[in-house]
Amino acid sequence: MEAITLGPAGTYSHRAARAVADENEVTFTESVTAIVEAVAKGEYRRGVVPIENSIEGSVTETLDALANYDVGVVEEIVTPIRHALIAASESFDVVASHSQALAQCRSFLEAEYPDVTLEAVASTARGVERARDDDRVAAIAHPDNAGEDLQVLAADIQDRDSNATRFFAISPADERSDAGGKSTIVVNPNANYPGLLLELLEAFADRDINLSRVESRPTGDRLGDYLFHIDFEAGLYERHAREAVEDVEDIAANGWVRRLGSYDTRHVV
């Protein structure tokens, strides 16, 4: 099965994508929006996009793309984040990596390399490419990315050992499923009044359904207008989950609700 994810090869997204596609069937781009759009158009049966990191929080570009394109979520992939400092030698002036990786190693960098310049690039793998091209640059990436030409100067440098990232495996809309232990919906109420959010959440609380994530994002239509991304721990095949979403749809009758589908979780080391 062909899949598209964030590249180049060696990113954490690539590691997650290998859970849903063979190595030689993974295509790379450097835009989450481009991944979601390609899947929505049917150009790929699967896309793998980061949705949330346990330290840095949600990936807003993914949230916005899931609201703007009609796709499904068919699997959640969770992978631990192991960051290493990788370079040609111990003499370097710049550390390059994805902005989230730099933030996740902030304590280590401040303690060990307070004078280096931090350079945010498109991905951890792109940082490794910078280190290969310039021996004055070090990278932060998974230690496997060092290869034979770079050194791992320090391993497991992330601020917290519990650091992990959730990815969504997305599909064209017609492959959405109601089967799975978790579900995701996007709600645009097209309304704003006291108690609106409470009403939305009570639809689940009244049925004893646990919410694992609630995020608000601006709709982009008008200042002060928001939509909501809601993950809950039940499958849409379950009657109480369907009834909760139907209540939400009634509350958002002036707007819209997108059922991204139900799915299970896979852990990838």
Side-chain angles (χ1 to χ4, degrees):
M1 181 182 296
E2 289 186 335
I4 183 170
T5 194
L6 291 173
T11 62
Y12 284 97
S13 294
H14 183 197
R15 299 177 73 85
R18 288 184 297 191
V20 301
D22 291 337
E23 180 75 33
N24 60 356
E25 293 185 315
V26 178
T27 299
F28 301 108
T29 184
E30 294 194 3
S31 164
V32 168
T33 303
I35 294 169
V36 179
E37 181 179 16
V39 173
K41 290 180 176 179
E43 297 172 4
Y44 293 87
R45 285 192 59 199
R46 293 292 182 269
V48 176
V49 292
I51 186 72
E52 181 182 22
N53 177 263
S54 59
I55 296 176
E56 292 301 304
S58 295
V59 181
T60 56
E61 185 183 0
T62 301
L63 297 179
D64 294 342
L66 292 175
N68 292 330
Y69 293 93
D70 191 16
V71 295
V73 175
V74 294
E75 190 170 22
E76 176 185 73
I77 303 166
V78 179
T79 183
I81 302 300
R82 290 190 59 211
H83 287 319
L85 185 67
I86 299 171
S89 72
E90 295 185 2
S91 299
F92 55 86
D93 305 313
V94 174
V95 176
S97 192
H98 190 277
S99 58
Q100 284 208 349
L102 294 173
Q104 291 159 15
C105 302
R106 184 180 295 113
S107 296
F108 171 84
L109 292 171
E110 290 178 350
E112 302 295 330
Y113 299 95
D115 298 325
V116 300
T117 299
L118 305 183
E119 178 183 326
V121 293
S123 66
T124 54
R126 189 65 71 197
V128 175
E129 290 183 354
R130 288 275 290 115
R132 285 198 169 95
D133 293 339
D134 187 343
D135 60 9
R136 303 300 299 178
V137 176
I140 291 176
H142 192 281
D144 288 353
N145 286 4
E148 297 180 357
D149 53 342
L150 297 176
Q151 304 176 47
V152 175
L153 302 182
D156 294 320
I157 63 173
Q158 61 274 5
D159 292 347
R160 299 182 187 178
D161 291 338
S162 59
N163 191 2
T165 295
R166 299 169 59 221
F167 296 85
F168 276 166
I170 61 173
S171 71
D174 60 4
E175 293 190 40
R176 281 192 291 245
S177 173
D178 289 348
K182 295 180 71 174
S183 302
T184 295
I185 61 174
V186 184
V187 184
N188 184 345
N190 194 28
N192 186 13
Y193 56 83
L196 169 61
L197 181 57
L198 177 61
E199 289 182 19
L200 294 174
L201 301 186
E202 281 181 337
F204 300 95
D206 290 347
R207 294 173 175 84
D208 200 30
I209 298 173
N210 187 48
L211 302 181
S212 55
R213 182 176 63 94
V214 179
E215 296 276 350
S216 64
R217 290 291 297 156
T219 64
D221 297 330
R222 294 179 299 273
L223 186 65
D225 280 0
Y226 293 90
L227 53 78
F228 302 96
H229 294 254
I230 301 175
D231 293 351
F232 56 92
E233 295 178 353
L236 290 169
Y237 70 94
E238 301 177 70
R239 185 176 67 180
H240 68 314
R242 291 196 306 273
E243 291 175 346
V245 175
E246 288 168 1
D247 280 0
V248 169
E249 289 170 337
D250 289 340
I251 296 167
N254 292 329
W256 50 264
V257 176
R258 178 169 297 146
R259 303 186 185 198
L260 294 179
S262 302
Y263 48 87
D264 290 320
T265 301
R266 186 191 308 206
H267 293 267
V268 175
V269 178

